[in-house]
PDB file of all heavy atoms in Angstrom:
ATOM      1  N   VAL O   1     205.801 115.112  19.968  1.00  0.00           N
ATOM      2  CA  VAL O   1     205.478 115.041  21.394  1.00  0.00           C
ATOM      3  C   VAL O   1     206.785 115.026  22.172  1.00  0.00           C
ATOM      4  O   VAL O   1     207.675 114.211  21.912  1.00  0.00           O
ATOM      5  CB  VAL O   1     204.661 113.777  21.726  1.00  0.00           C
ATOM      6  CG1 VAL O   1     204.409 113.684  23.224  1.00  0.00           C
ATOM      7  CG2 VAL O   1     203.343 113.794  20.955  1.00  0.00           C
ATOM      8  N   PHE O   2     206.912 115.937  23.123  1.00  0.00           N
ATOM      9  CA  PHE O   2     208.108 116.031  23.953  1.00  0.00           C
ATOM     10  C   PHE O   2     207.701 116.057  25.418  1.00  0.00           C
ATOM     11  O   PHE O   2     206.545 116.317  25.749  1.00  0.00           O
ATOM     12  CB  PHE O   2     208.907 117.306  23.639  1.00  0.00           C
ATOM     13  CG  PHE O   2     209.389 117.393  22.218  1.00  0.00           C
ATOM     14  CD1 PHE O   2     208.784 118.250  21.318  1.00  0.00           C
ATOM     15  CD2 PHE O   2     210.451 116.615  21.793  1.00  0.00           C
ATOM     16  CE1 PHE O   2     209.236 118.333  20.008  1.00  0.00           C
ATOM     17  CE2 PHE O   2     210.906 116.700  20.481  1.00  0.00           C
ATOM     18  CZ  PHE O   2     210.295 117.554  19.584  1.00  0.00           C
ATOM     19  N   ASP O   3     208.670 115.822  26.267  1.00  0.00           N
ATOM     20  CA  ASP O   3     208.403 115.977  27.694  1.00  0.00           C
ATOM     21  C   ASP O   3     209.612 116.606  28.374  1.00  0.00           C
ATOM     22  O   ASP O   3     210.703 116.666  27.808  1.00  0.00           O
ATOM     23  CB  ASP O   3     208.055 114.632  28.347  1.00  0.00           C
ATOM     24  CG  ASP O   3     209.109 113.569  28.096  1.00  0.00           C
ATOM     25  OD1 ASP O   3     210.276 113.912  27.871  1.00  0.00           O
ATOM     26  OD2 ASP O   3     208.744 112.375  28.130  1.00  0.00           O
ATOM     27  N   ASN O   4     209.389 117.098  29.575  1.00  0.00           N
ATOM     28  CA  ASN O   4     210.438 117.638  30.440  1.00  0.00           C
ATOM     29  C   ASN O   4     211.313 118.654  29.719  1.00  0.00           C
ATOM     30  O   ASN O   4     210.814 119.610  29.135  1.00  0.00           O
ATOM     31  CB  ASN O   4     211.270 116.486  31.017  1.00  0.00           C
ATOM     32  CG  ASN O   4     210.406 115.521  31.809  1.00  0.00           C
ATOM     33  OD1 ASN O   4     209.426 115.924  32.424  1.00  0.00           O
ATOM     34  ND2 ASN O   4     210.755 114.238  31.769  1.00  0.00           N
ATOM     35  N   PHE O   5     212.622 118.457  29.773  1.00  0.00           N
ATOM     36  CA  PHE O   5     213.566 119.432  29.220  1.00  0.00           C
ATOM     37  C   PHE O   5     213.315 119.689  27.736  1.00  0.00           C
ATOM     38  O   PHE O   5     213.350 120.831  27.283  1.00  0.00           O
ATOM     39  CB  PHE O   5     214.999 118.938  29.431  1.00  0.00           C
ATOM     40  CG  PHE O   5     216.037 119.779  28.734  1.00  0.00           C
ATOM     41  CD1 PHE O   5     216.466 120.970  29.288  1.00  0.00           C
ATOM     42  CD2 PHE O   5     216.565 119.386  27.508  1.00  0.00           C
ATOM     43  CE1 PHE O   5     217.415 121.758  28.641  1.00  0.00           C
ATOM     44  CE2 PHE O   5     217.505 120.159  26.860  1.00  0.00           C
ATOM     45  CZ  PHE O   5     217.933 121.351  27.431  1.00  0.00           C
ATOM     46  N   GLU O   6     213.075 118.636  26.951  1.00  0.00           N
ATOM     47  CA  GLU O   6     212.896 118.809  25.514  1.00  0.00           C
ATOM     48  C   GLU O   6     211.650 119.632  25.199  1.00  0.00           C
ATOM     49  O   GLU O   6     211.628 120.381  24.223  1.00  0.00           O
ATOM     50  CB  GLU O   6     212.850 117.454  24.809  1.00  0.00           C
ATOM     51  CG  GLU O   6     214.222 116.777  24.740  1.00  0.00           C
ATOM     52  CD  GLU O   6     214.301 115.738  23.654  1.00  0.00           C
ATOM     53  OE1 GLU O   6     213.261 115.115  23.351  1.00  0.00           O
ATOM     54  OE2 GLU O   6     215.398 115.535  23.102  1.00  0.00           O
ATOM     55  N   LEU O   7     210.610 119.513  25.999  1.00  0.00           N
ATOM     56  CA  LEU O   7     209.420 120.326  25.787  1.00  0.00           C
ATOM     57  C   LEU O   7     209.735 121.807  25.974  1.00  0.00           C
ATOM     58  O   LEU O   7     209.290 122.656  25.199  1.00  0.00           O
ATOM     59  CB  LEU O   7     208.305 119.895  26.737  1.00  0.00           C
ATOM     60  CG  LEU O   7     206.985 120.665  26.615  1.00  0.00           C
ATOM     61  CD1 LEU O   7     206.420 120.543  25.205  1.00  0.00           C
ATOM     62  CD2 LEU O   7     205.981 120.173  27.654  1.00  0.00           C
ATOM     63  N   ASP O   8     210.531 122.118  26.997  1.00  0.00           N
ATOM     64  CA  ASP O   8     210.945 123.507  27.204  1.00  0.00           C
ATOM     65  C   ASP O   8     211.747 124.022  26.009  1.00  0.00           C
ATOM     66  O   ASP O   8     211.559 125.147  25.561  1.00  0.00           O
ATOM     67  CB  ASP O   8     211.779 123.622  28.482  1.00  0.00           C
ATOM     68  CG  ASP O   8     210.955 123.393  29.745  1.00  0.00           C
ATOM     69  OD1 ASP O   8     209.720 123.550  29.676  1.00  0.00           O
ATOM     70  OD2 ASP O   8     211.554 123.049  30.789  1.00  0.00           O
ATOM     71  N   GLU O   9     212.651 123.190  25.504  1.00  0.00           N
ATOM     72  CA  GLU O   9     213.459 123.588  24.351  1.00  0.00           C
ATOM     73  C   GLU O   9     212.590 123.779  23.111  1.00  0.00           C
ATOM     74  O   GLU O   9     212.803 124.706  22.320  1.00  0.00           O
ATOM     75  CB  GLU O   9     214.541 122.532  24.078  1.00  0.00           C
ATOM     76  CG  GLU O   9     215.643 122.496  25.119  1.00  0.00           C
ATOM     77  CD  GLU O   9     216.408 123.808  25.173  1.00  0.00           C
ATOM     78  OE1 GLU O   9     216.999 124.205  24.146  1.00  0.00           O
ATOM     79  OE2 GLU O   9     216.391 124.456  26.242  1.00  0.00           O
ATOM     80  N   TYR O  10     211.626 122.897  22.919  1.00  0.00           N
ATOM     81  CA  TYR O  10     210.697 123.006  21.798  1.00  0.00           C
ATOM     82  C   TYR O  10     209.939 124.329  21.843  1.00  0.00           C
ATOM     83  O   TYR O  10     209.818 125.042  20.831  1.00  0.00           O
ATOM     84  CB  TYR O  10     209.741 121.817  21.835  1.00  0.00           C
ATOM     85  CG  TYR O  10     208.697 121.793  20.737  1.00  0.00           C
ATOM     86  CD1 TYR O  10     209.046 121.986  19.406  1.00  0.00           C
ATOM     87  CD2 TYR O  10     207.363 121.544  21.041  1.00  0.00           C
ATOM     88  CE1 TYR O  10     208.094 121.943  18.407  1.00  0.00           C
ATOM     89  CE2 TYR O  10     206.398 121.500  20.037  1.00  0.00           C
ATOM     90  CZ  TYR O  10     206.772 121.697  18.717  1.00  0.00           C
ATOM     91  OH  TYR O  10     205.820 121.647  17.734  1.00  0.00           O
ATOM     92  N   ASN O  11     209.461 124.700  23.013  1.00  0.00           N
ATOM     93  CA  ASN O  11     208.732 125.963  23.149  1.00  0.00           C
ATOM     94  C   ASN O  11     209.636 127.167  22.878  1.00  0.00           C
ATOM     95  O   ASN O  11     209.192 128.172  22.312  1.00  0.00           O
ATOM     96  CB  ASN O  11     208.113 126.061  24.540  1.00  0.00           C
ATOM     97  CG  ASN O  11     206.945 125.103  24.717  1.00  0.00           C
ATOM     98  OD1 ASN O  11     206.273 124.759  23.755  1.00  0.00           O
ATOM     99  ND2 ASN O  11     206.705 124.665  25.949  1.00  0.00           N
ATOM    100  N   LYS O  12     210.908 127.077  23.268  1.00  0.00           N
ATOM    101  CA  LYS O  12     211.850 128.162  22.975  1.00  0.00           C
ATOM    102  C   LYS O  12     212.048 128.311  21.462  1.00  0.00           C
ATOM    103  O   LYS O  12     212.097 129.426  20.924  1.00  0.00           O
ATOM    104  CB  LYS O  12     213.195 127.887  23.654  1.00  0.00           C
ATOM    105  CG  LYS O  12     213.186 128.014  25.162  1.00  0.00           C
ATOM    106  CD  LYS O  12     214.548 127.653  25.730  1.00  0.00           C
ATOM    107  CE  LYS O  12     214.538 127.652  27.254  1.00  0.00           C
ATOM    108  NZ  LYS O  12     215.858 127.217  27.806  1.00  0.00           N
ATOM    109  N   ILE O  13     212.180 127.176  20.767  1.00  0.00           N
ATOM    110  CA  ILE O  13     212.371 127.217  19.320  1.00  0.00           C
ATOM    111  C   ILE O  13     211.145 127.812  18.641  1.00  0.00           C
ATOM    112  O   ILE O  13     211.251 128.663  17.754  1.00  0.00           O
ATOM    113  CB  ILE O  13     212.676 125.795  18.781  1.00  0.00           C
ATOM    114  CG1 ILE O  13     214.073 125.364  19.227  1.00  0.00           C
ATOM    115  CG2 ILE O  13     212.569 125.751  17.257  1.00  0.00           C
ATOM    116  CD1 ILE O  13     214.403 123.927  18.943  1.00  0.00           C
ATOM    117  N   LEU O  14     209.959 127.394  19.074  1.00  0.00           N
ATOM    118  CA  LEU O  14     208.734 127.939  18.497  1.00  0.00           C
ATOM    119  C   LEU O  14     208.612 129.438  18.744  1.00  0.00           C
ATOM    120  O   LEU O  14     208.177 130.197  17.863  1.00  0.00           O
ATOM    121  CB  LEU O  14     207.524 127.225  19.081  1.00  0.00           C
ATOM    122  CG  LEU O  14     207.213 125.820  18.555  1.00  0.00           C
ATOM    123  CD1 LEU O  14     206.036 125.239  19.303  1.00  0.00           C
ATOM    124  CD2 LEU O  14     206.929 125.855  17.055  1.00  0.00           C
ATOM    125  N   ALA O  15     208.981 129.875  19.938  1.00  0.00           N
ATOM    126  CA  ALA O  15     208.864 131.290  20.284  1.00  0.00           C
ATOM    127  C   ALA O  15     209.757 132.164  19.413  1.00  0.00           C
ATOM    128  O   ALA O  15     209.403 133.302  19.080  1.00  0.00           O
ATOM    129  CB  ALA O  15     209.194 131.493  21.754  1.00  0.00           C
ATOM    130  N   ASP O  16     210.929 131.636  19.031  1.00  0.00           N
ATOM    131  CA  ASP O  16     211.888 132.408  18.235  1.00  0.00           C
ATOM    132  C   ASP O  16     211.727 132.194  16.739  1.00  0.00           C
ATOM    133  O   ASP O  16     212.332 132.909  15.939  1.00  0.00           O
ATOM    134  CB  ASP O  16     213.317 132.033  18.636  1.00  0.00           C
ATOM    135  CG  ASP O  16     213.675 132.502  20.045  1.00  0.00           C
ATOM    136  OD1 ASP O  16     213.021 133.441  20.513  1.00  0.00           O
ATOM    137  OD2 ASP O  16     214.572 131.913  20.654  1.00  0.00           O
ATOM    138  N   PHE O  17     210.931 131.217  16.345  1.00  0.00           N
ATOM    139  CA  PHE O  17     210.881 130.841  14.939  1.00  0.00           C
ATOM    140  C   PHE O  17     210.071 131.838  14.114  1.00  0.00           C
ATOM    141  O   PHE O  17     208.976 132.248  14.505  1.00  0.00           O
ATOM    142  CB  PHE O  17     210.266 129.445  14.794  1.00  0.00           C
ATOM    143  CG  PHE O  17     210.266 128.950  13.375  1.00  0.00           C
ATOM    144  CD1 PHE O  17     211.439 128.539  12.773  1.00  0.00           C
ATOM    145  CD2 PHE O  17     209.091 128.919  12.637  1.00  0.00           C
ATOM    146  CE1 PHE O  17     211.444 128.091  11.461  1.00  0.00           C
ATOM    147  CE2 PHE O  17     209.082 128.468  11.330  1.00  0.00           C
ATOM    148  CZ  PHE O  17     210.271 128.058  10.739  1.00  0.00           C
ATOM    149  N   GLU O  18     210.621 132.215  12.960  1.00  0.00           N
ATOM    150  CA  GLU O  18     209.926 133.073  12.011  1.00  0.00           C
ATOM    151  C   GLU O  18     209.764 132.307  10.699  1.00  0.00           C
ATOM    152  O   GLU O  18     210.724 132.127   9.967  1.00  0.00           O
ATOM    153  CB  GLU O  18     210.698 134.367  11.771  1.00  0.00           C
ATOM    154  CG  GLU O  18     210.813 135.266  12.994  1.00  0.00           C
ATOM    155  CD  GLU O  18     211.505 136.582  12.691  1.00  0.00           C
ATOM    156  OE1 GLU O  18     211.692 136.873  11.480  1.00  0.00           O
ATOM    157  OE2 GLU O  18     211.856 137.295  13.631  1.00  0.00           O
ATOM    158  N   PRO O  19     208.564 131.822  10.396  1.00  0.00           N
ATOM    159  CA  PRO O  19     208.368 131.041   9.175  1.00  0.00           C
ATOM    160  C   PRO O  19     208.604 131.894   7.934  1.00  0.00           C
ATOM    161  O   PRO O  19     208.302 133.088   7.925  1.00  0.00           O
ATOM    162  CB  PRO O  19     206.906 130.589   9.276  1.00  0.00           C
ATOM    163  CG  PRO O  19     206.255 131.577  10.175  1.00  0.00           C
ATOM    164  CD  PRO O  19     207.308 132.008  11.157  1.00  0.00           C
ATOM    165  N   PRO O  20     209.189 131.308   6.888  1.00  0.00           N
ATOM    166  CA  PRO O  20     209.417 132.075   5.655  1.00  0.00           C
ATOM    167  C   PRO O  20     208.099 132.412   4.975  1.00  0.00           C
ATOM    168  O   PRO O  20     207.114 131.674   5.090  1.00  0.00           O
ATOM    169  CB  PRO O  20     210.253 131.112   4.799  1.00  0.00           C
ATOM    170  CG  PRO O  20     209.866 129.749   5.285  1.00  0.00           C
ATOM    171  CD  PRO O  20     209.623 129.904   6.760  1.00  0.00           C
ATOM    172  N   LYS O  21     208.086 133.509   4.256  1.00  0.00           N
ATOM    173  CA  LYS O  21     206.878 133.907   3.536  1.00  0.00           C
ATOM    174  C   LYS O  21     206.547 132.907   2.447  1.00  0.00           C
ATOM    175  O   LYS O  21     205.370 132.610   2.186  1.00  0.00           O
ATOM    176  CB  LYS O  21     207.068 135.303   2.943  1.00  0.00           C
ATOM    177  CG  LYS O  21     205.840 135.838   2.215  1.00  0.00           C
ATOM    178  CD  LYS O  21     206.067 137.260   1.713  1.00  0.00           C
ATOM    179  CE  LYS O  21     204.831 137.774   0.981  1.00  0.00           C
ATOM    180  NZ  LYS O  21     205.032 139.157   0.490  1.00  0.00           N
ATOM    181  N   TYR O  22     207.591 132.393   1.786  1.00  0.00           N
ATOM    182  CA  TYR O  22     207.393 131.426   0.712  1.00  0.00           C
ATOM    183  C   TYR O  22     207.982 130.085   1.145  1.00  0.00           C
ATOM    184  O   TYR O  22     209.120 130.008   1.597  1.00  0.00           O
ATOM    185  CB  TYR O  22     208.063 131.904  -0.579  1.00  0.00           C
ATOM    186  CG  TYR O  22     207.540 133.246  -1.036  1.00  0.00           C
ATOM    187  CD1 TYR O  22     208.288 134.408  -0.837  1.00  0.00           C
ATOM    188  CD2 TYR O  22     206.297 133.355  -1.652  1.00  0.00           C
ATOM    189  CE1 TYR O  22     207.811 135.646  -1.246  1.00  0.00           C
ATOM    190  CE2 TYR O  22     205.810 134.589  -2.069  1.00  0.00           C
ATOM    191  CZ  TYR O  22     206.567 135.724  -1.858  1.00  0.00           C
ATOM    192  OH  TYR O  22     206.087 136.945  -2.259  1.00  0.00           O
ATOM    193  N   LYS O  23     207.205 129.029   0.980  1.00  0.00           N
ATOM    194  CA  LYS O  23     207.615 127.707   1.433  1.00  0.00           C
ATOM    195  C   LYS O  23     208.458 126.998   0.373  1.00  0.00           C
ATOM    196  O   LYS O  23     208.497 127.387  -0.797  1.00  0.00           O
ATOM    197  CB  LYS O  23     206.383 126.857   1.766  1.00  0.00           C
ATOM    198  CG  LYS O  23     205.497 127.456   2.848  1.00  0.00           C
ATOM    199  CD  LYS O  23     206.167 127.461   4.203  1.00  0.00           C
ATOM    200  CE  LYS O  23     205.203 127.894   5.291  1.00  0.00           C
ATOM    201  NZ  LYS O  23     205.807 127.870   6.625  1.00  0.00           N
ATOM    202  N   TRP O  24     209.105 125.905   0.812  1.00  0.00           N
ATOM    203  CA  TRP O  24     209.991 125.128  -0.048  1.00  0.00           C
ATOM    204  C   TRP O  24     209.333 123.810  -0.460  1.00  0.00           C
ATOM    205  O   TRP O  24     208.637 123.183   0.321  1.00  0.00           O
ATOM    206  CB  TRP O  24     211.288 124.817   0.681  1.00  0.00           C
ATOM    207  CG  TRP O  24     212.191 125.989   0.859  1.00  0.00           C
ATOM    208  CD1 TRP O  24     212.155 126.917   1.860  1.00  0.00           C
ATOM    209  CD2 TRP O  24     213.272 126.372   0.011  1.00  0.00           C
ATOM    210  NE1 TRP O  24     213.141 127.848   1.695  1.00  0.00           N
ATOM    211  CE2 TRP O  24     213.851 127.541   0.566  1.00  0.00           C
ATOM    212  CE3 TRP O  24     213.821 125.850  -1.160  1.00  0.00           C
ATOM    213  CZ2 TRP O  24     214.946 128.179  -0.005  1.00  0.00           C
ATOM    214  CZ3 TRP O  24     214.910 126.483  -1.730  1.00  0.00           C
ATOM    215  CH2 TRP O  24     215.456 127.638  -1.161  1.00  0.00           C
ATOM    216  N   GLY O  25     209.605 123.410  -1.712  1.00  0.00           N
ATOM    217  CA  GLY O  25     209.204 122.104  -2.213  1.00  0.00           C
ATOM    218  C   GLY O  25     210.250 121.590  -3.186  1.00  0.00           C
ATOM    219  O   GLY O  25     211.343 122.154  -3.297  1.00  0.00           O
ATOM    220  N   PHE O  26     209.918 120.517  -3.916  1.00  0.00           N
ATOM    221  CA  PHE O  26     210.858 119.935  -4.876  1.00  0.00           C
ATOM    222  C   PHE O  26     210.254 119.907  -6.270  1.00  0.00           C
ATOM    223  O   PHE O  26     209.076 119.561  -6.456  1.00  0.00           O
ATOM    224  CB  PHE O  26     211.246 118.509  -4.465  1.00  0.00           C
ATOM    225  CG  PHE O  26     212.305 118.462  -3.403  1.00  0.00           C
ATOM    226  CD1 PHE O  26     211.971 118.241  -2.080  1.00  0.00           C
ATOM    227  CD2 PHE O  26     213.636 118.648  -3.731  1.00  0.00           C
ATOM    228  CE1 PHE O  26     212.946 118.195  -1.097  1.00  0.00           C
ATOM    229  CE2 PHE O  26     214.622 118.604  -2.757  1.00  0.00           C
ATOM    230  CZ  PHE O  26     214.278 118.384  -1.437  1.00  0.00           C
ATOM    231  N   LEU O  27     211.083 120.243  -7.263  1.00  0.00           N
ATOM    232  CA  LEU O  27     210.694 120.329  -8.659  1.00  0.00           C
ATOM    233  C   LEU O  27     211.342 119.193  -9.439  1.00  0.00           C
ATOM    234  O   LEU O  27     212.528 118.919  -9.274  1.00  0.00           O
ATOM    235  CB  LEU O  27     211.142 121.677  -9.235  1.00  0.00           C
ATOM    236  CG  LEU O  27     210.624 122.086 -10.615  1.00  0.00           C
ATOM    237  CD1 LEU O  27     209.150 122.469 -10.526  1.00  0.00           C
ATOM    238  CD2 LEU O  27     211.441 123.275 -11.137  1.00  0.00           C
ATOM    239  N   THR O  28     210.563 118.524 -10.317  1.00  0.00           N
ATOM    240  CA  THR O  28     211.128 117.500 -11.195  1.00  0.00           C
ATOM    241  C   THR O  28     211.863 118.161 -12.358  1.00  0.00           C
ATOM    242  O   THR O  28     211.725 119.365 -12.603  1.00  0.00           O
ATOM    243  CB  THR O  28     210.033 116.589 -11.758  1.00  0.00           C
ATOM    244  OG1 THR O  28     209.219 117.346 -12.657  1.00  0.00           O
ATOM    245  CG2 THR O  28     209.174 115.993 -10.640  1.00  0.00           C
ATOM    246  N   GLU O  29     212.592 117.360 -13.110  1.00  0.00           N
ATOM    247  CA  GLU O  29     213.272 117.882 -14.294  1.00  0.00           C
ATOM    248  C   GLU O  29     212.273 118.305 -15.366  1.00  0.00           C
ATOM    249  O   GLU O  29     212.610 119.091 -16.250  1.00  0.00           O
ATOM    250  CB  GLU O  29     214.245 116.840 -14.836  1.00  0.00           C
ATOM    251  CG  GLU O  29     215.411 116.561 -13.893  1.00  0.00           C
ATOM    252  CD  GLU O  29     216.419 115.594 -14.477  1.00  0.00           C
ATOM    253  OE1 GLU O  29     216.375 115.349 -15.706  1.00  0.00           O
ATOM    254  OE2 GLU O  29     217.254 115.085 -13.716  1.00  0.00           O
ATOM    255  N   GLN O  30     211.057 117.779 -15.285  1.00  0.00           N
ATOM    256  CA  GLN O  30     210.015 118.158 -16.234  1.00  0.00           C
ATOM    257  C   GLN O  30     209.253 119.419 -15.803  1.00  0.00           C
ATOM    258  O   GLN O  30     208.365 119.878 -16.515  1.00  0.00           O
ATOM    259  CB  GLN O  30     209.019 117.002 -16.407  1.00  0.00           C
ATOM    260  CG  GLN O  30     209.604 115.769 -17.091  1.00  0.00           C
ATOM    261  CD  GLN O  30     210.561 114.998 -16.206  1.00  0.00           C
ATOM    262  OE1 GLN O  30     210.313 114.867 -14.994  1.00  0.00           O
ATOM    263  NE2 GLN O  30     211.646 114.494 -16.778  1.00  0.00           N
ATOM    264  N   GLY O  31     209.607 119.963 -14.632  1.00  0.00           N
ATOM    265  CA  GLY O  31     208.990 121.208 -14.187  1.00  0.00           C
ATOM    266  C   GLY O  31     207.750 121.043 -13.347  1.00  0.00           C
ATOM    267  O   GLY O  31     207.008 122.012 -13.138  1.00  0.00           O
ATOM    268  N   GLN O  32     207.504 119.826 -12.849  1.00  0.00           N
ATOM    269  CA  GLN O  32     206.341 119.584 -12.008  1.00  0.00           C
ATOM    270  C   GLN O  32     206.752 119.541 -10.542  1.00  0.00           C
ATOM    271  O   GLN O  32     207.874 119.143 -10.212  1.00  0.00           O
ATOM    272  CB  GLN O  32     205.680 118.257 -12.403  1.00  0.00           C
ATOM    273  CG  GLN O  32     205.222 118.221 -13.843  1.00  0.00           C
ATOM    274  CD  GLN O  32     204.887 116.816 -14.308  1.00  0.00           C
ATOM    275  OE1 GLN O  32     205.418 115.841 -13.801  1.00  0.00           O
ATOM    276  NE2 GLN O  32     203.983 116.723 -15.280  1.00  0.00           N
ATOM    277  N   LEU O  33     205.838 119.952  -9.679  1.00  0.00           N
ATOM    278  CA  LEU O  33     206.093 119.861  -8.245  1.00  0.00           C
ATOM    279  C   LEU O  33     205.981 118.404  -7.807  1.00  0.00           C
ATOM    280  O   LEU O  33     204.893 117.827  -7.790  1.00  0.00           O
ATOM    281  CB  LEU O  33     205.102 120.713  -7.465  1.00  0.00           C
ATOM    282  CG  LEU O  33     205.491 122.158  -7.159  1.00  0.00           C
ATOM    283  CD1 LEU O  33     204.368 122.842  -6.400  1.00  0.00           C
ATOM    284  CD2 LEU O  33     206.788 122.226  -6.369  1.00  0.00           C
ATOM    285  N   ALA O  34     207.118 117.805  -7.475  1.00  0.00           N
ATOM    286  CA  ALA O  34     207.122 116.418  -7.011  1.00  0.00           C
ATOM    287  C   ALA O  34     206.712 116.359  -5.550  1.00  0.00           C
ATOM    288  O   ALA O  34     206.066 115.407  -5.111  1.00  0.00           O
ATOM    289  CB  ALA O  34     208.502 115.800  -7.194  1.00  0.00           C
ATOM    290  N   ILE O  35     207.107 117.368  -4.792  1.00  0.00           N
ATOM    291  CA  ILE O  35     206.768 117.463  -3.372  1.00  0.00           C
ATOM    292  C   ILE O  35     206.276 118.884  -3.132  1.00  0.00           C
ATOM    293  O   ILE O  35     206.955 119.855  -3.461  1.00  0.00           O
ATOM    294  CB  ILE O  35     207.966 117.128  -2.481  1.00  0.00           C
ATOM    295  CG1 ILE O  35     208.398 115.664  -2.700  1.00  0.00           C
ATOM    296  CG2 ILE O  35     207.647 117.367  -1.010  1.00  0.00           C
ATOM    297  CD1 ILE O  35     209.643 115.261  -1.945  1.00  0.00           C
ATOM    298  N   GLU O  36     205.099 118.990  -2.585  1.00  0.00           N
ATOM    299  CA  GLU O  36     204.436 120.280  -2.395  1.00  0.00           C
ATOM    300  C   GLU O  36     205.315 121.260  -1.628  1.00  0.00           C
ATOM    301  O   GLU O  36     206.043 120.882  -0.703  1.00  0.00           O
ATOM    302  CB  GLU O  36     203.124 120.051  -1.637  1.00  0.00           C
ATOM    303  CG  GLU O  36     202.307 121.314  -1.418  1.00  0.00           C
ATOM    304  CD  GLU O  36     201.088 121.065  -0.563  1.00  0.00           C
ATOM    305  OE1 GLU O  36     200.786 119.879  -0.282  1.00  0.00           O
ATOM    306  OE2 GLU O  36     200.444 122.050  -0.169  1.00  0.00           O
ATOM    307  N   ASP O  37     205.226 122.522  -2.004  1.00  0.00           N
ATOM    308  CA  ASP O  37     205.990 123.572  -1.328  1.00  0.00           C
ATOM    309  C   ASP O  37     205.284 123.933  -0.013  1.00  0.00           C
ATOM    310  O   ASP O  37     204.522 124.885   0.061  1.00  0.00           O
ATOM    311  CB  ASP O  37     206.155 124.798  -2.221  1.00  0.00           C
ATOM    312  CG  ASP O  37     204.838 125.299  -2.792  1.00  0.00           C
ATOM    313  OD1 ASP O  37     204.046 124.473  -3.262  1.00  0.00           O
ATOM    314  OD2 ASP O  37     204.604 126.518  -2.763  1.00  0.00           O
ATOM    315  N   LYS O  38     205.599 123.151   1.020  1.00  0.00           N
ATOM    316  CA  LYS O  38     204.967 123.338   2.328  1.00  0.00           C
ATOM    317  C   LYS O  38     205.977 123.346   3.468  1.00  0.00           C
ATOM    318  O   LYS O  38     205.585 123.422   4.636  1.00  0.00           O
ATOM    319  CB  LYS O  38     203.946 122.230   2.568  1.00  0.00           C
ATOM    320  CG  LYS O  38     204.529 120.825   2.588  1.00  0.00           C
ATOM    321  CD  LYS O  38     203.436 119.785   2.783  1.00  0.00           C
ATOM    322  CE  LYS O  38     204.003 118.365   2.821  1.00  0.00           C
ATOM    323  NZ  LYS O  38     202.936 117.357   3.009  1.00  0.00           N
ATOM    324  N   TYR O  39     207.256 123.310   3.139  1.00  0.00           N
ATOM    325  CA  TYR O  39     208.284 123.205   4.180  1.00  0.00           C
ATOM    326  C   TYR O  39     208.946 124.552   4.436  1.00  0.00           C
ATOM    327  O   TYR O  39     209.096 125.385   3.534  1.00  0.00           O
ATOM    328  CB  TYR O  39     209.329 122.175   3.776  1.00  0.00           C
ATOM    329  CG  TYR O  39     208.760 120.774   3.763  1.00  0.00           C
ATOM    330  CD1 TYR O  39     208.466 120.139   2.557  1.00  0.00           C
ATOM    331  CD2 TYR O  39     208.480 120.109   4.947  1.00  0.00           C
ATOM    332  CE1 TYR O  39     207.921 118.866   2.539  1.00  0.00           C
ATOM    333  CE2 TYR O  39     207.933 118.834   4.941  1.00  0.00           C
ATOM    334  CZ  TYR O  39     207.651 118.223   3.735  1.00  0.00           C
ATOM    335  OH  TYR O  39     207.094 116.976   3.725  1.00  0.00           O
TER     336      TYR O  39
END
């Protein structure tokens, strides 16, 4: 949640943002997803 100037900046960032096709997560040493690839 933003207001005033920061809200305008937030909208600028969203307008220019291009999400990656493949998301990022974290892998354990055992090869399991410790944190879902959603970032």
Side-chain angles (χ1 to χ4, degrees):
V1 177
F2 300 106
D3 54 26
N4 301 328
F5 172 80
E6 287 201 329
L7 180 59
D8 291 339
E9 289 298 300
Y10 179 49
N11 289 332
K12 290 177 185 177
I13 289 171
L14 283 177
D16 291 337
F17 184 73
E18 295 184 11
K21 182 177 180 180
Y22 302 103
K23 301 292 187 178
W24 288 85
F26 279 100
L27 191 73
T28 68
E29 293 184 15
Q30 293 72 39
Q32 301 166 333
L33 269 179
I35 297 175
E36 182 185 351
D37 52 315
K38 61 182 181 180
Y39 292 105

